Amino acid sequence: MCNKNFLIIFSLLLSASISAQELSRTEKKILTSIEKNNADAITFLEKVVNINSGTLNSKGVKEVGMVFKDAFEGINFETKWIEMPDEMNRSGHLFAETSGNKGKKLLLVGHLDTVFEEDSPFQKFKMVNDSVAHAPGGNDMKGGDVIVLYALKALHDNGLLKNAQIIVAFTGDEESTGKPLTISRKDLLDAAKRSDIALGFETSTGFNYATVARRGSSGWAVEVEGKRAHSSGIFSERTGAGAIFEMSRILHQFYTDVKGEDLLTFNPGTLLGGTFVNYDSSTSKGDVFGKSNVVAQKAMVRGGLRFISEEQKERARVKMREIVSNNLPKTSAKVTFTDSYPAMKPTEGNTALLNILNEVSLDLDQGEVLAYDPGKRGAADVSFIAEYVDCLDGLGAMGSNAHTPEETVNLNTIEALTKRTAILIYRLINTK
């Protein structure tokens, strides 16, 4: 566990600094190495982008992992590929590590998978202009993985990783985590428990922003049963309200009675109702049969819940359960919840890390780095380990339209972000 008092005091001293400091001679050498290797970094990024690694393409995810594995071994990291059980239908994870006792023990987090599966028409890296490329997963988040690799390469090439403990964890299923989480995230949690600080390289939200808090995510489902009958009898004591009216009541009360807390959101993403309902959760597809003159006997909805703390999540769930239990006549309903990502709460330790990063950025003449609004960020792997270490995320590549066929990566910022990362790592592993 990290010495949080140190980080807080150190960050306060840094934030009190009036002007940027002069980079050391060693730090200037690091920057020179990054400049020298930047063209290779862009070529490497194109190579891994052009290998499809949609989450369900286990073979492709592993292929990308093997490319990174070879690269980390080339800078003297010990690597291992951790397979997941076949029944999870997910690829494994790549871990690479150096060992030692110097300075802070770091965990650098990325992921190998993308949202673009093998049947996606968006498959290849293609330049748009001299600085931007269309790239499936280019900024979410193979660009961030490349930043990690080439920052560490610059430190290695200058002999600066000796006796430092750095664990690189690139998961293979971040976009759709394998279940159970006790298996798919076990190795990540074990690595966090051996570390002081975690740095996440999810897509950047802007050159001068970093993430000190991320909302968690949870799934929810409501299923409603009504009495099937001729529609002429609806509202009667014998027939009641029907499943669709009951579902409408529930969703309306969710909107009016649960909505309102800062950073709490919930979204019904799929809604089906009728006489017969079929839904396949593995494909998120379904079908219904019903007629306008028949009272619906079944309705179902699937949705997501975002929250900034476990306490906020539980408050929302209590309200939702209460609403679901107060049924209209001749109907019944149940709500179930599925945990996915925990929240990464804003902490003093996370803010202290931001202040250290900010000082690095100022020293590089890259400008001030501010905390990004957690309400605008999705969940990520770093959230699983926030309980154990101070965390900073959003340190990856810049781009636009992530998760869409228009996703881009800004190649002009790769070098600057790699420099920022390398100097941050260098200072942390040289701090007791």
PDB file of all heavy atoms in Angstrom, residues 99-130:
ATOM      1  N   SER A  99      11.430  -6.170 -11.533  1.00  0.00           N
ATOM      2  CA  SER A  99      11.374  -6.304 -10.078  1.00  0.00           C
ATOM      3  C   SER A  99      12.462  -5.466  -9.424  1.00  0.00           C
ATOM      4  O   SER A  99      13.511  -5.205 -10.021  1.00  0.00           O
ATOM      5  CB  SER A  99      11.521  -7.769  -9.664  1.00  0.00           C
ATOM      6  OG  SER A  99      12.737  -8.296 -10.143  1.00  0.00           O
ATOM      7  N   GLY A 100      12.178  -5.039  -8.188  1.00  0.00           N
ATOM      8  CA  GLY A 100      13.139  -4.255  -7.432  1.00  0.00           C
ATOM      9  C   GLY A 100      12.472  -3.537  -6.282  1.00  0.00           C
ATOM     10  O   GLY A 100      11.265  -3.680  -6.050  1.00  0.00           O
ATOM     11  N   ASN A 101      13.252  -2.760  -5.566  1.00  0.00           N
ATOM     12  CA  ASN A 101      12.748  -2.072  -4.372  1.00  0.00           C
ATOM     13  C   ASN A 101      12.953  -0.562  -4.419  1.00  0.00           C
ATOM     14  O   ASN A 101      12.752   0.118  -3.418  1.00  0.00           O
ATOM     15  CB  ASN A 101      13.455  -2.627  -3.127  1.00  0.00           C
ATOM     16  CG  ASN A 101      13.167  -4.101  -2.934  1.00  0.00           C
ATOM     17  OD1 ASN A 101      12.015  -4.507  -2.866  1.00  0.00           O
ATOM     18  ND2 ASN A 101      14.222  -4.920  -2.853  1.00  0.00           N
ATOM     19  N   LYS A 102      13.328  -0.044  -5.586  1.00  0.00           N
ATOM     20  CA  LYS A 102      13.619   1.382  -5.681  1.00  0.00           C
ATOM     21  C   LYS A 102      12.346   2.182  -5.898  1.00  0.00           C
ATOM     22  O   LYS A 102      11.561   1.900  -6.793  1.00  0.00           O
ATOM     23  CB  LYS A 102      14.584   1.657  -6.838  1.00  0.00           C
ATOM     24  CG  LYS A 102      14.991   3.119  -6.975  1.00  0.00           C
ATOM     25  CD  LYS A 102      15.988   3.324  -8.095  1.00  0.00           C
ATOM     26  CE  LYS A 102      15.329   3.172  -9.452  1.00  0.00           C
ATOM     27  NZ  LYS A 102      16.238   3.546 -10.559  1.00  0.00           N
ATOM     28  N   GLY A 103      12.131   3.200  -5.065  1.00  0.00           N
ATOM     29  CA  GLY A 103      11.033   4.137  -5.281  1.00  0.00           C
ATOM     30  C   GLY A 103       9.663   3.514  -5.170  1.00  0.00           C
ATOM     31  O   GLY A 103       9.460   2.478  -4.540  1.00  0.00           O
ATOM     32  N   LYS A 104       8.697   4.151  -5.813  1.00  0.00           N
ATOM     33  CA  LYS A 104       7.319   3.682  -5.789  1.00  0.00           C
ATOM     34  C   LYS A 104       7.144   2.480  -6.711  1.00  0.00           C
ATOM     35  O   LYS A 104       7.724   2.419  -7.793  1.00  0.00           O
ATOM     36  CB  LYS A 104       6.373   4.804  -6.210  1.00  0.00           C
ATOM     37  CG  LYS A 104       6.364   5.986  -5.252  1.00  0.00           C
ATOM     38  CD  LYS A 104       5.904   5.572  -3.874  1.00  0.00           C
ATOM     39  CE  LYS A 104       6.017   6.711  -2.875  1.00  0.00           C
ATOM     40  NZ  LYS A 104       5.663   6.275  -1.510  1.00  0.00           N
ATOM     41  N   LYS A 105       6.340   1.540  -6.260  1.00  0.00           N
ATOM     42  CA  LYS A 105       6.021   0.357  -7.055  1.00  0.00           C
ATOM     43  C   LYS A 105       4.800   0.674  -7.917  1.00  0.00           C
ATOM     44  O   LYS A 105       3.734   1.000  -7.397  1.00  0.00           O
ATOM     45  CB  LYS A 105       5.750  -0.832  -6.137  1.00  0.00           C
ATOM     46  CG  LYS A 105       6.964  -1.209  -5.292  1.00  0.00           C
ATOM     47  CD  LYS A 105       6.640  -2.340  -4.327  1.00  0.00           C
ATOM     48  CE  LYS A 105       7.857  -2.692  -3.481  1.00  0.00           C
ATOM     49  NZ  LYS A 105       7.567  -3.771  -2.509  1.00  0.00           N
ATOM     50  N   LEU A 106       4.974   0.558  -9.240  1.00  0.00           N
ATOM     51  CA  LEU A 106       3.956   1.040 -10.169  1.00  0.00           C
ATOM     52  C   LEU A 106       3.232  -0.096 -10.874  1.00  0.00           C
ATOM     53  O   LEU A 106       3.828  -1.125 -11.210  1.00  0.00           O
ATOM     54  CB  LEU A 106       4.597   1.941 -11.223  1.00  0.00           C
ATOM     55  CG  LEU A 106       5.402   3.142 -10.725  1.00  0.00           C
ATOM     56  CD1 LEU A 106       5.854   3.982 -11.915  1.00  0.00           C
ATOM     57  CD2 LEU A 106       4.606   3.973  -9.745  1.00  0.00           C
ATOM     58  N   LEU A 107       1.943   0.132 -11.124  1.00  0.00           N
ATOM     59  CA  LEU A 107       1.114  -0.754 -11.932  1.00  0.00           C
ATOM     60  C   LEU A 107       0.567   0.087 -13.081  1.00  0.00           C
ATOM     61  O   LEU A 107      -0.127   1.078 -12.862  1.00  0.00           O
ATOM     62  CB  LEU A 107      -0.024  -1.333 -11.098  1.00  0.00           C
ATOM     63  CG  LEU A 107      -1.092  -2.150 -11.832  1.00  0.00           C
ATOM     64  CD1 LEU A 107      -0.480  -3.334 -12.549  1.00  0.00           C
ATOM     65  CD2 LEU A 107      -2.176  -2.617 -10.853  1.00  0.00           C
ATOM     66  N   LEU A 108       0.889  -0.301 -14.312  1.00  0.00           N
ATOM     67  CA  LEU A 108       0.470   0.429 -15.509  1.00  0.00           C
ATOM     68  C   LEU A 108      -0.590  -0.397 -16.221  1.00  0.00           C
ATOM     69  O   LEU A 108      -0.337  -1.542 -16.612  1.00  0.00           O
ATOM     70  CB  LEU A 108       1.663   0.685 -16.427  1.00  0.00           C
ATOM     71  CG  LEU A 108       2.918   1.265 -15.752  1.00  0.00           C
ATOM     72  CD1 LEU A 108       4.020   1.495 -16.782  1.00  0.00           C
ATOM     73  CD2 LEU A 108       2.603   2.548 -15.001  1.00  0.00           C
ATOM     74  N   VAL A 109      -1.788   0.164 -16.399  1.00  0.00           N
ATOM     75  CA  VAL A 109      -2.951  -0.609 -16.821  1.00  0.00           C
ATOM     76  C   VAL A 109      -3.406  -0.213 -18.223  1.00  0.00           C
ATOM     77  O   VAL A 109      -3.573   0.972 -18.536  1.00  0.00           O
ATOM     78  CB  VAL A 109      -4.116  -0.409 -15.827  1.00  0.00           C
ATOM     79  CG1 VAL A 109      -5.320  -1.259 -16.239  1.00  0.00           C
ATOM     80  CG2 VAL A 109      -3.674  -0.756 -14.409  1.00  0.00           C
ATOM     81  N   GLY A 110      -3.608  -1.218 -19.064  1.00  0.00           N
ATOM     82  CA  GLY A 110      -4.170  -1.018 -20.392  1.00  0.00           C
ATOM     83  C   GLY A 110      -5.033  -2.203 -20.777  1.00  0.00           C
ATOM     84  O   GLY A 110      -5.264  -3.109 -19.981  1.00  0.00           O
ATOM     85  N   HIS A 111      -5.523  -2.218 -22.017  1.00  0.00           N
ATOM     86  CA  HIS A 111      -6.253  -3.399 -22.497  1.00  0.00           C
ATOM     87  C   HIS A 111      -6.014  -3.610 -23.982  1.00  0.00           C
ATOM     88  O   HIS A 111      -5.734  -2.676 -24.735  1.00  0.00           O
ATOM     89  CB  HIS A 111      -7.745  -3.343 -22.162  1.00  0.00           C
ATOM     90  CG  HIS A 111      -8.531  -2.252 -22.827  1.00  0.00           C
ATOM     91  ND1 HIS A 111      -9.048  -2.379 -24.093  1.00  0.00           N
ATOM     92  CD2 HIS A 111      -8.925  -1.033 -22.396  1.00  0.00           C
ATOM     93  CE1 HIS A 111      -9.733  -1.283 -24.407  1.00  0.00           C
ATOM     94  NE2 HIS A 111      -9.665  -0.447 -23.400  1.00  0.00           N
ATOM     95  N   LEU A 112      -6.118  -4.867 -24.389  1.00  0.00           N
ATOM     96  CA  LEU A 112      -5.791  -5.295 -25.744  1.00  0.00           C
ATOM     97  C   LEU A 112      -7.003  -5.374 -26.650  1.00  0.00           C
ATOM     98  O   LEU A 112      -6.869  -5.343 -27.878  1.00  0.00           O
ATOM     99  CB  LEU A 112      -5.126  -6.681 -25.700  1.00  0.00           C
ATOM    100  CG  LEU A 112      -3.868  -6.804 -24.839  1.00  0.00           C
ATOM    101  CD1 LEU A 112      -3.539  -8.285 -24.612  1.00  0.00           C
ATOM    102  CD2 LEU A 112      -2.697  -6.092 -25.488  1.00  0.00           C
ATOM    103  N   ASP A 113      -8.197  -5.511 -26.077  1.00  0.00           N
ATOM    104  CA  ASP A 113      -9.401  -5.712 -26.879  1.00  0.00           C
ATOM    105  C   ASP A 113     -10.026  -4.400 -27.304  1.00  0.00           C
ATOM    106  O   ASP A 113      -9.748  -3.339 -26.736  1.00  0.00           O
ATOM    107  CB  ASP A 113     -10.420  -6.557 -26.114  1.00  0.00           C
ATOM    108  CG  ASP A 113     -10.904  -5.884 -24.836  1.00  0.00           C
ATOM    109  OD1 ASP A 113     -10.071  -5.309 -24.113  1.00  0.00           O
ATOM    110  OD2 ASP A 113     -12.114  -5.929 -24.564  1.00  0.00           O
ATOM    111  N   THR A 114     -10.882  -4.476 -28.323  1.00  0.00           N
ATOM    112  CA  THR A 114     -11.634  -3.317 -28.801  1.00  0.00           C
ATOM    113  C   THR A 114     -13.109  -3.700 -28.919  1.00  0.00           C
ATOM    114  O   THR A 114     -13.475  -4.874 -28.757  1.00  0.00           O
ATOM    115  CB  THR A 114     -11.125  -2.847 -30.180  1.00  0.00           C
ATOM    116  OG1 THR A 114     -11.643  -3.721 -31.198  1.00  0.00           O
ATOM    117  CG2 THR A 114      -9.606  -2.816 -30.238  1.00  0.00           C
ATOM    118  N   VAL A 115     -13.947  -2.734 -29.258  1.00  0.00           N
ATOM    119  CA  VAL A 115     -15.370  -3.019 -29.457  1.00  0.00           C
ATOM    120  C   VAL A 115     -15.663  -3.507 -30.876  1.00  0.00           C
ATOM    121  O   VAL A 115     -16.795  -3.862 -31.184  1.00  0.00           O
ATOM    122  CB  VAL A 115     -16.234  -1.769 -29.170  1.00  0.00           C
ATOM    123  CG1 VAL A 115     -16.066  -1.321 -27.737  1.00  0.00           C
ATOM    124  CG2 VAL A 115     -15.911  -0.637 -30.137  1.00  0.00           C
ATOM    125  N   PHE A 116     -14.663  -3.527 -31.732  1.00  0.00           N
ATOM    126  CA  PHE A 116     -14.874  -3.863 -33.137  1.00  0.00           C
ATOM    127  C   PHE A 116     -14.579  -5.348 -33.373  1.00  0.00           C
ATOM    128  O   PHE A 116     -13.427  -5.768 -33.414  1.00  0.00           O
ATOM    129  CB  PHE A 116     -13.990  -2.994 -34.037  1.00  0.00           C
ATOM    130  CG  PHE A 116     -14.222  -1.523 -33.821  1.00  0.00           C
ATOM    131  CD1 PHE A 116     -13.358  -0.782 -33.027  1.00  0.00           C
ATOM    132  CD2 PHE A 116     -15.316  -0.894 -34.382  1.00  0.00           C
ATOM    133  CE1 PHE A 116     -13.575   0.568 -32.815  1.00  0.00           C
ATOM    134  CE2 PHE A 116     -15.551   0.451 -34.175  1.00  0.00           C
ATOM    135  CZ  PHE A 116     -14.678   1.194 -33.380  1.00  0.00           C
ATOM    136  N   GLU A 117     -15.653  -6.132 -33.532  1.00  0.00           N
ATOM    137  CA  GLU A 117     -15.504  -7.574 -33.703  1.00  0.00           C
ATOM    138  C   GLU A 117     -15.113  -7.918 -35.149  1.00  0.00           C
ATOM    139  O   GLU A 117     -15.009  -7.038 -36.007  1.00  0.00           O
ATOM    140  CB  GLU A 117     -16.797  -8.281 -33.306  1.00  0.00           C
ATOM    141  CG  GLU A 117     -17.188  -8.096 -31.840  1.00  0.00           C
ATOM    142  CD  GLU A 117     -16.196  -8.732 -30.856  1.00  0.00           C
ATOM    143  OE1 GLU A 117     -15.391  -9.583 -31.282  1.00  0.00           O
ATOM    144  OE2 GLU A 117     -16.240  -8.377 -29.664  1.00  0.00           O
ATOM    145  N   GLU A 118     -14.916  -9.207 -35.410  1.00  0.00           N
ATOM    146  CA  GLU A 118     -14.435  -9.648 -36.722  1.00  0.00           C
ATOM    147  C   GLU A 118     -15.385  -9.289 -37.861  1.00  0.00           C
ATOM    148  O   GLU A 118     -14.955  -9.140 -39.010  1.00  0.00           O
ATOM    149  CB  GLU A 118     -14.201 -11.152 -36.708  1.00  0.00           C
ATOM    150  CG  GLU A 118     -13.001 -11.593 -35.892  1.00  0.00           C
ATOM    151  CD  GLU A 118     -12.787 -13.088 -35.960  1.00  0.00           C
ATOM    152  OE1 GLU A 118     -13.499 -13.811 -35.232  1.00  0.00           O
ATOM    153  OE2 GLU A 118     -11.919 -13.527 -36.746  1.00  0.00           O
ATOM    154  N   ASP A 119     -16.693  -9.149 -37.556  1.00  0.00           N
ATOM    155  CA  ASP A 119     -17.651  -8.829 -38.614  1.00  0.00           C
ATOM    156  C   ASP A 119     -17.851  -7.332 -38.804  1.00  0.00           C
ATOM    157  O   ASP A 119     -18.677  -6.909 -39.613  1.00  0.00           O
ATOM    158  CB  ASP A 119     -18.998  -9.496 -38.334  1.00  0.00           C
ATOM    159  CG  ASP A 119     -19.619  -9.050 -37.011  1.00  0.00           C
ATOM    160  OD1 ASP A 119     -18.957  -8.302 -36.258  1.00  0.00           O
ATOM    161  OD2 ASP A 119     -20.753  -9.457 -36.725  1.00  0.00           O
ATOM    162  N   SER A 120     -17.096  -6.507 -38.078  1.00  0.00           N
ATOM    163  CA  SER A 120     -17.199  -5.059 -38.234  1.00  0.00           C
ATOM    164  C   SER A 120     -16.584  -4.633 -39.561  1.00  0.00           C
ATOM    165  O   SER A 120     -15.516  -5.127 -39.944  1.00  0.00           O
ATOM    166  CB  SER A 120     -16.480  -4.352 -37.081  1.00  0.00           C
ATOM    167  OG  SER A 120     -16.339  -2.961 -37.365  1.00  0.00           O
ATOM    168  N   PRO A 121     -17.226  -3.695 -40.276  1.00  0.00           N
ATOM    169  CA  PRO A 121     -16.611  -3.195 -41.517  1.00  0.00           C
ATOM    170  C   PRO A 121     -15.404  -2.291 -41.258  1.00  0.00           C
ATOM    171  O   PRO A 121     -14.645  -2.003 -42.181  1.00  0.00           O
ATOM    172  CB  PRO A 121     -17.750  -2.413 -42.177  1.00  0.00           C
ATOM    173  CG  PRO A 121     -18.635  -2.011 -41.040  1.00  0.00           C
ATOM    174  CD  PRO A 121     -18.559  -3.135 -40.046  1.00  0.00           C
ATOM    175  N   PHE A 122     -15.227  -1.864 -39.999  1.00  0.00           N
ATOM    176  CA  PHE A 122     -14.134  -0.961 -39.629  1.00  0.00           C
ATOM    177  C   PHE A 122     -12.985  -1.789 -39.083  1.00  0.00           C
ATOM    178  O   PHE A 122     -13.026  -2.260 -37.956  1.00  0.00           O
ATOM    179  CB  PHE A 122     -14.648   0.030 -38.583  1.00  0.00           C
ATOM    180  CG  PHE A 122     -13.690   1.132 -38.213  1.00  0.00           C
ATOM    181  CD1 PHE A 122     -12.856   1.725 -39.155  1.00  0.00           C
ATOM    182  CD2 PHE A 122     -13.643   1.598 -36.911  1.00  0.00           C
ATOM    183  CE1 PHE A 122     -11.999   2.752 -38.805  1.00  0.00           C
ATOM    184  CE2 PHE A 122     -12.792   2.632 -36.546  1.00  0.00           C
ATOM    185  CZ  PHE A 122     -11.962   3.205 -37.493  1.00  0.00           C
ATOM    186  N   GLN A 123     -11.952  -1.990 -39.904  1.00  0.00           N
ATOM    187  CA  GLN A 123     -10.909  -2.945 -39.541  1.00  0.00           C
ATOM    188  C   GLN A 123      -9.488  -2.395 -39.627  1.00  0.00           C
ATOM    189  O   GLN A 123      -8.608  -2.911 -38.947  1.00  0.00           O
ATOM    190  CB  GLN A 123     -10.997  -4.185 -40.439  1.00  0.00           C
ATOM    191  CG  GLN A 123     -12.233  -5.027 -40.242  1.00  0.00           C
ATOM    192  CD  GLN A 123     -12.227  -5.820 -38.946  1.00  0.00           C
ATOM    193  OE1 GLN A 123     -11.194  -5.969 -38.300  1.00  0.00           O
ATOM    194  NE2 GLN A 123     -13.384  -6.316 -38.535  1.00  0.00           N
ATOM    195  N   LYS A 124      -9.217  -1.370 -40.427  1.00  0.00           N
ATOM    196  CA  LYS A 124      -7.842  -1.020 -40.737  1.00  0.00           C
ATOM    197  C   LYS A 124      -7.480   0.426 -40.403  1.00  0.00           C
ATOM    198  O   LYS A 124      -8.325   1.322 -40.432  1.00  0.00           O
ATOM    199  CB  LYS A 124      -7.559  -1.278 -42.230  1.00  0.00           C
ATOM    200  CG  LYS A 124      -7.675  -2.739 -42.640  1.00  0.00           C
ATOM    201  CD  LYS A 124      -6.657  -3.627 -41.914  1.00  0.00           C
ATOM    202  CE  LYS A 124      -6.752  -5.081 -42.355  1.00  0.00           C
ATOM    203  NZ  LYS A 124      -5.790  -5.948 -41.650  1.00  0.00           N
ATOM    204  N   PHE A 125      -6.219   0.598 -40.094  1.00  0.00           N
ATOM    205  CA  PHE A 125      -5.590   1.900 -39.863  1.00  0.00           C
ATOM    206  C   PHE A 125      -5.491   2.632 -41.204  1.00  0.00           C
ATOM    207  O   PHE A 125      -4.980   2.096 -42.180  1.00  0.00           O
ATOM    208  CB  PHE A 125      -4.198   1.656 -39.278  1.00  0.00           C
ATOM    209  CG  PHE A 125      -3.428   2.882 -38.884  1.00  0.00           C
ATOM    210  CD1 PHE A 125      -3.327   3.241 -37.545  1.00  0.00           C
ATOM    211  CD2 PHE A 125      -2.749   3.633 -39.832  1.00  0.00           C
ATOM    212  CE1 PHE A 125      -2.575   4.343 -37.164  1.00  0.00           C
ATOM    213  CE2 PHE A 125      -2.002   4.737 -39.463  1.00  0.00           C
ATOM    214  CZ  PHE A 125      -1.919   5.096 -38.125  1.00  0.00           C
ATOM    215  N   LYS A 126      -5.989   3.874 -41.255  1.00  0.00           N
ATOM    216  CA  LYS A 126      -5.946   4.638 -42.502  1.00  0.00           C
ATOM    217  C   LYS A 126      -5.749   6.111 -42.188  1.00  0.00           C
ATOM    218  O   LYS A 126      -6.515   6.705 -41.428  1.00  0.00           O
ATOM    219  CB  LYS A 126      -7.238   4.436 -43.292  1.00  0.00           C
ATOM    220  CG  LYS A 126      -7.244   5.147 -44.649  1.00  0.00           C
ATOM    221  CD  LYS A 126      -8.541   4.891 -45.391  1.00  0.00           C
ATOM    222  CE  LYS A 126      -8.530   5.595 -46.744  1.00  0.00           C
ATOM    223  NZ  LYS A 126      -9.803   5.360 -47.488  1.00  0.00           N
ATOM    224  N   MET A 127      -4.737   6.704 -42.765  1.00  0.00           N
ATOM    225  CA  MET A 127      -4.457   8.115 -42.533  1.00  0.00           C
ATOM    226  C   MET A 127      -5.575   8.989 -43.102  1.00  0.00           C
ATOM    227  O   MET A 127      -6.040   8.778 -44.227  1.00  0.00           O
ATOM    228  CB  MET A 127      -3.125   8.510 -43.169  1.00  0.00           C
ATOM    229  CG  MET A 127      -1.910   7.830 -42.562  1.00  0.00           C
ATOM    230  SD  MET A 127      -1.678   8.186 -40.794  1.00  0.00           S
ATOM    231  CE  MET A 127      -1.471   9.977 -40.819  1.00  0.00           C
ATOM    232  N   VAL A 128      -6.002   9.977 -42.332  1.00  0.00           N
ATOM    233  CA  VAL A 128      -6.978  10.971 -42.783  1.00  0.00           C
ATOM    234  C   VAL A 128      -6.241  12.193 -43.313  1.00  0.00           C
ATOM    235  O   VAL A 128      -6.582  12.768 -44.340  1.00  0.00           O
ATOM    236  CB  VAL A 128      -7.923  11.369 -41.636  1.00  0.00           C
ATOM    237  CG1 VAL A 128      -8.892  12.462 -42.082  1.00  0.00           C
ATOM    238  CG2 VAL A 128      -8.684  10.152 -41.125  1.00  0.00           C
ATOM    239  N   ASN A 129      -5.219  12.607 -42.575  1.00  0.00           N
ATOM    240  CA  ASN A 129      -4.320  13.672 -43.001  1.00  0.00           C
ATOM    241  C   ASN A 129      -2.958  13.392 -42.376  1.00  0.00           C
ATOM    242  O   ASN A 129      -2.713  12.274 -41.925  1.00  0.00           O
ATOM    243  CB  ASN A 129      -4.872  15.061 -42.620  1.00  0.00           C
ATOM    244  CG  ASN A 129      -5.221  15.155 -41.136  1.00  0.00           C
ATOM    245  OD1 ASN A 129      -4.442  14.732 -40.274  1.00  0.00           O
ATOM    246  ND2 ASN A 129      -6.395  15.696 -40.834  1.00  0.00           N
ATOM    247  N   ASP A 130      -2.087  14.380 -42.325  1.00  0.00           N
ATOM    248  CA  ASP A 130      -0.733  14.109 -41.839  1.00  0.00           C
ATOM    249  C   ASP A 130      -0.640  13.920 -40.332  1.00  0.00           C
ATOM    250  O   ASP A 130       0.426  13.583 -39.813  1.00  0.00           O
ATOM    251  CB  ASP A 130       0.228  15.218 -42.286  1.00  0.00           C
ATOM    252  CG  ASP A 130      -0.165  16.593 -41.750  1.00  0.00           C
ATOM    253  OD1 ASP A 130      -1.215  16.689 -41.085  1.00  0.00           O
ATOM    254  OD2 ASP A 130       0.568  17.556 -42.005  1.00  0.00           O
TER     255      ASP A 130
END
